[in-house]
Amino acid sequence: MQQLDRKHHSVSVVRPDELGENELSAWRGMQAAQPHLANPFLSPEFTLAMGEVSPSARVGILSDEEGLAGFLPFELRARGVGSAIGDWVSLCQGVVHRPGAAFDADALLKGLGLHVWEFGCLVERQPWFAPYETLSQQSVVLDLSAGYAEYARALAGRSPKFYKSTLYKERKLGRDAGEVSFTFASREPDDFRTLRGWKSDQYRRMGRADRFGKPWVVELTERLHAIDTPSFAGPLSMMYVGGRPVAGHFGLRSDSVLVGWFPAYDPSFAKYSPGLIQHLRMAEAAAAAGLRAMDLGIGTGSEYKEALRSHGAPVGEGVVRRRTLGAAVHRARHEPVRLARRFVLETPVLYRAADKVLRAYGTRASARGR
């Protein structure tokens, strides 16, 4: 156990499967006490699942004179270099902590045995990491706290053309192809395979890296899909037309928040915008299940997310580096690429141009693959 003198905290580092029931209970209690920490990617279930697919998964257990103060899950990327756990797929990261707890970033990393810690989707209200943020964006949040009817009323008010056209396309889809039906939490293995196939094809068309091309991502999502408890689940939502699946979404939920993760649809139905219909059906089902919000992740460049949005939540990206030789070497190797990426994301013209190039590349690659 490493003592952190500056804030009178101590840190011990364990593998996720070494966490005890008292620690897991404390972790969940910290989330329950603070709504901004309710994101399911911050739940212990996500970290435990990552521990089953990644040998580099670790958890820093933070303690002080009052007892357990917090938990920071992370992955070891190289000697002295860590990242947020599951950073390639995670949509929310940071310290899950007791209300009122405060930390010193440099001392925290020292206790974890790290020179560097990288994050990409930092949850809000983590002031100890604020000086290290290199990019701040907004996550798109759908407010379901007053129920779906109130959300739909507000959506119709701020995006009337979008809302009316989506409802019209749903009616037309039903007339042209058969009865439209929806399930919020499918347990069918074939549905999950279908969704993964759609998503992989979409990644290729867009020129993006295929998440489901990695066996560990497939295993991770299957493990999470198998969980269904009041405080955490991996629901697979599917929309069907005449009994045929046409759109789907796999995400994670806590007891109050559903996070959009892997949405996709059958491109042969693209003219009906099945993904948009799916999102409205999903929001309706989530509200009926008592969830208070849907978080669709960062909305940069996404027109449909901006149309659905009730409000935003800040999301930080950056890297914490201690004043060590190891951190200096990391900066020299990685900072030019990070700065270039930030410049593109913060320049709309460049972002659209880069997106266009990737899509063109993806279209050509898909054509060659047929």
Side-chain angles (χ1 to χ4, degrees), residues 289-309:
L291 302 182
R292 300 179 61 82
M294 276 177 56
D295 187 330
L296 301 185
I298 295 169
T300 303
S302 176
E303 294 182 4
Y304 88 88
K305 286 186 180 183
E306 288 304 317
L308 291 168
R309 164 186 171 135

Side-chain angles (χ1 to χ4, degrees), residues 340-363:
R341 178 178 178 276
R342 176 182 177 181
F343 182 66
V344 171
L345 287 172
E346 292 182 338
T347 309
V349 172
L350 291 178
Y351 179 86
R352 288 192 295 269
D355 186 62
K356 185 177 180 180
V357 169
L358 286 172
R359 287 176 182 273
Y361 173 80
T363 300

Side-chain angles (χ1 to χ4, degrees), residues 142-175:
L142 282 59
D143 183 1
L144 306 176
S145 60
Y148 179 75
E150 178 58 26
Y151 167 75
R153 185 197 65 77
L155 175 61
R158 66 178 175 268
S159 303
K161 183 178 179 180
F162 169 87
Y163 182 64
K164 289 179 181 178
S165 68
T166 303
L167 295 183
Y168 168 76
K169 289 177 180 179
E170 180 176 5
R171 293 193 297 270
K172 183 170 175 54
L173 176 61
R175 290 194 300 268

Side-chain angles (χ1 to χ4, degrees), residues 257-275:
V257 179
L258 173 66
V259 176
W261 201 8
F262 294 111
Y265 61 85
D266 184 341
S268 66
F269 288 86
K271 68 178 183 180
Y272 300 101
S273 300

Side-chain angles (χ1 to χ4, degrees), residues 3 52 65 82 208 224 313 367:
Q3 188 70 30
E52 293 170 336
E65 61 276 2
R208 265 56 170 194
L224 293 169

Side-chain angles (χ1 to χ4, degrees), residues 13 65 243 311:
V13 177
E65 61 276 2
H311 59 83

Side-chain angles (χ1 to χ4, degrees), residues 99-365:
F103 306 94
D104 178 87
D106 185 86
L108 177 56
L109 260 63
K110 183 178 180 181
L112 297 172
L114 299 177
H115 300 288
V116 177
W117 182 67
E118 301 174 316
F119 56 88
C121 293
L122 185 70
V123 68
E124 60 183 311
R125 303 182 202 176
Q126 305 258 301
W128 37 89
F129 295 136
Y132 305 94
E133 287 190 14
T134 58
L135 180 65
S136 180
Q137 302 184 81
Q138 289 282 312
S139 182
V140 172
V141 179
L142 282 59
D143 183 1
L144 306 176
S145 60
Y148 179 75
E150 178 58 26
Y151 167 75
R153 185 197 65 77
L155 175 61
R158 66 178 175 268
S159 303
K161 183 178 179 180
F162 169 87
Y163 182 64
K164 289 179 181 178
S165 68
T166 303
L167 295 183
Y168 168 76
K169 289 177 180 179
E170 180 176 5
R171 293 193 297 270
K172 183 170 175 54
L173 176 61
R175 290 194 300 268
D176 293 351
E179 180 184 0
V180 179
S181 59
F182 174 84
T183 181
F184 183 61
S186 169
R187 310 308 302 178
E188 292 295 328
D190 286 346
D191 282 347
F192 209 173
R193 283 191 288 270
T194 296
L195 176 69
R196 292 200 299 265
W198 289 338
K199 196 66 183 179
S200 290
D201 289 343
Q202 180 190 8
Y203 283 133
R204 286 190 287 271
R205 291 194 305 271
M206 296 176 68
R208 265 56 170 194
D210 178 10
R211 290 332 196 233
F212 288 119
K214 300 292 186 181
W216 72 265
V217 176
V218 175
E219 183 180 353
L220 173 68
T221 54
E222 288 180 342
R223 287 179 178 276
L224 293 169
H225 180 222
I227 303 174
D228 186 9
T229 69
S231 61
F232 184 95
L236 170 63
S237 300
M238 296 294 293
M239 188 173 77
Y240 311 87
V241 175
R244 172 184 175 179
V246 296
H249 168 269
F250 178 69
L252 300 181
R253 68 145 181 86
S254 63
D255 59 357
S256 60
V257 179
L258 173 66
V259 176
W261 201 8
F262 294 111
Y265 61 85
D266 184 341
S268 66
F269 288 86
K271 68 178 183 180
Y272 300 101
S273 300
L276 298 181
I277 301 169
Q278 157 85 14
H279 273 76
L280 291 183
R281 288 286 189 110
M282 194 162 59
E284 183 176 21
L291 302 182
R292 300 179 61 82
M294 276 177 56
D295 187 330
L296 301 185
I298 295 169
T300 303
S302 176
E303 294 182 4
Y304 88 88
K305 286 186 180 183
E306 288 304 317
L308 291 168
R309 164 186 171 135
S310 299
H311 59 83
V315 176
E317 175 182 317
V319 54
V320 184
R321 294 187 181 94
R322 294 169 56 207
R323 294 183 178 180
T324 63
L325 178 59
V329 171
H330 182 273
R331 177 187 293 275
R333 289 178 176 174
H334 297 276
E335 199 62 18
V337 174
R338 184 182 295 276
L339 290 174
R341 178 178 178 276
R342 176 182 177 181
F343 182 66
V344 171
L345 287 172
E346 292 182 338
T347 309
V349 172
L350 291 178
Y351 179 86
R352 288 192 295 269
D355 186 62
K356 185 177 180 180
V357 169
L358 286 172
R359 287 176 182 273
Y361 173 80
T363 300
R364 292 194 298 270

